[in-house]
Amino acid sequence: MEKPFASRDWTLYSLVCLALVLIVLTMYQIDRQWLKLSEMQAALAEQAQAMRELRSLAGSGALAAQTPNAQPASIAPAFQRAYVASKMPDYAQGDWSVEAFGTNLKTITPLVSTDAYASNVQSYVQESLISRNPDTLAWEGLIAKSWTVSDDGLTISFDLRDDVTFSDGQPLTADDVVFSFNFIMTEAIQAPRERAYLQKIQSVKAEGKYRVVFTYKEPYFEALSLAGGMNIMPKHFYEPYLKEPQKFNESKGLLLGSGPYKLADPKSWTPDQGNVELVRNERYWGDVQPTYNRILWKIIQNDSARLTTYRNGDIDSYSARASEYKQLQNDARFRPRARASNTCRRWSVIATLAGTRCAPASRPVLPTNACARR
């Protein structure tokens, strides 16, 4: 006859279970601390690099012209609107911008991705030579400080700024512009749409470190837009994939650029993470620094759930359907946000009731190659 469990046995069994639970919790906590420590080490490494660059600039005397109280005249035209907004009394940096996508993203790798959501993410990370002023629609220099067009319209020469760096600290030069064109035109790279447009260009050549020349096969009425609107891909980051093009074509999150935001790890994003999160590029070269600490896109596929999330204040903007727009406009809780949104001119015709990308008061916009800078 088996001896039934005594109270001492139950106590011992409970202690063993408790010990196992504590071990699991301890392992989980150590893992979280390790990840946090890794992030802190990466941030400290970036800060140390930035300090070294500042010391180098100070030693060369190049820092003298960069005063904290720079006047608007010293701000590049592409950043003028953001500069004015950053001087408003209620402006403050920090916080998160939280938005929502209506479908899962398969990849955010440039060229490979084909949906508008991925392009939206990329517009915060990668930049082009020039950008459009959202008010006047005129082209303004971004990475390029100036450009000239030949009399026959076949040659466009861009002079680049010499202070632009990618988010990993590497300088952006004419070689990166030439590489971006050649990378797209490589048949093994899965970029048929981009190649179809760029086939009008005969060649892209660097003339020195900060001058690049685009030559067209024939006159083209959108020549400036085509050349100046091409996103610049860092050669040192993407060049290895020319030896393994299929690895690039099948990648999910290879994203690095010179923009105001970046992936915490430019190679680590995968669709199973669900959300997409960008962090501030602390090395951003622009005349106005990015506003948010982070930008987060949640994946909320159900329209009603997305609206409920917006009503609860868990996302900052919502693309209203026609049947919802008037109703939300008449809702007293959303009127201030609706009025703020209506002051922003968007390329999209979708109604946006709380456009965090354009907020005229406490959230200024930085110019991007999409519509406006964040």
Side-chain angles (χ1 to χ4, degrees), residues 62-337:
L63 202 61
Q66 300 179 11
T67 58
N69 299 317
Q71 296 302 312
S74 66
I75 305 297
F79 294 93
Q80 286 284 351
R81 294 171 68 250
Y83 176 82
V84 172
S86 69
K87 297 304 177 183
M88 291 183 176
D90 56 352
Y91 168 75
Q93 287 190 340
D95 205 349
W96 291 35
S97 171
V98 183
E99 300 188 28
F101 288 152
T103 185
N104 288 317
L105 276 68
K106 297 180 180 179
T107 176
I108 58 174
T109 299
L111 307 179
V112 177
S113 60
T114 57
D115 59 86
Y117 293 138
S119 295
N120 189 20
V121 174
Q122 292 161 13
S123 72
Y124 286 86
V125 177
Q126 294 191 334
E127 297 177 305
S128 55
L129 297 177
I130 58 178
S131 65
R132 277 197 187 275
N133 184 306
D135 293 325
T136 66
L137 301 185
W139 287 109
E140 297 175 336
L142 188 56
I143 293 173
K145 60 183 179 181
S146 63
W147 61 91
T148 57
V149 182
S150 63
D151 293 337
D152 59 9
L154 295 179
T155 303
I156 304 178
S157 302
F158 292 94
D159 290 308
L160 312 184
R161 292 178 57 145
D162 59 6
D163 58 349
V164 181
T165 61
F166 295 106
S167 60
D168 61 357
Q170 293 295 317
L172 188 156
T173 67
D175 288 338
D176 294 294
V177 181
V178 174
F179 168 79
S180 300
F181 173 77
N182 292 334
F183 189 81
I184 294 171
M185 299 307 291
T186 301
E187 289 292 337
I189 299 299
Q190 189 176 305
R193 182 183 60 178
E194 287 78 6
R195 269 197 299 277
Y197 287 113
L198 296 180
Q199 281 177 353
K200 301 179 184 296
I201 299 175
Q202 180 176 319
S203 66
V204 180
K205 296 181 179 179
E207 293 185 353
K209 193 173 182 179
Y210 296 109
R211 184 176 175 84
V212 62
V213 179
F214 287 74
T215 303
Y216 282 80
K217 299 175 182 177
E218 58 185 12
Y220 181 47
F221 75 103
E222 287 192 342
L224 180 60
S225 172
L226 187 62
M230 181 179 68
N231 281 349
I232 309 305
M233 305 175 70
K235 180 179 179 179
H236 67 278
F237 182 80
Y238 289 103
E239 188 175 35
Y241 295 101
L242 287 175
K243 298 178 181 179
E244 298 178 287
Q246 196 57 31
K247 186 176 180 180
F248 174 83
N249 296 338
E250 295 175 355
S251 65
K252 305 302 179 184
L254 295 176
L255 184 57
L256 181 71
S258 60
Y261 294 91
K262 64 178 183 176
L263 287 173
D265 183 339
K267 296 183 178 180
S268 67
W269 186 87
T270 54
D272 57 15
Q273 294 181 19
N275 301 333
V276 180
E277 183 177 318
L278 301 180
V279 298
R280 180 201 301 271
N281 176 9
E282 298 293 351
R283 287 198 181 100
Y284 188 54
W285 58 271
D287 297 335
V288 180
Q289 290 301 298
T291 301
Y292 299 110
N293 291 334
R294 296 174 184 262
I295 299 178
L296 175 67
W297 288 273
K298 298 181 177 181
I299 307 300
I300 308 176
Q301 299 186 17
N302 184 274
D303 291 336
S304 298
R306 200 157 55 249
L307 175 58
T308 300
T309 306
Y310 174 69
R311 286 181 179 276
N312 292 339
D314 293 328
I315 58 176
D316 296 322
S317 66
Y318 174 71
S319 298
R321 292 170 289 181
S323 58
E324 302 165 336
Y325 183 72
K326 196 67 178 177
Q327 178 184 358
L328 287 170
Q329 269 196 323
N330 294 331
D331 191 323
R333 293 176 299 171
F334 303 113
R335 281 176 191 163
R337 285 198 276 179

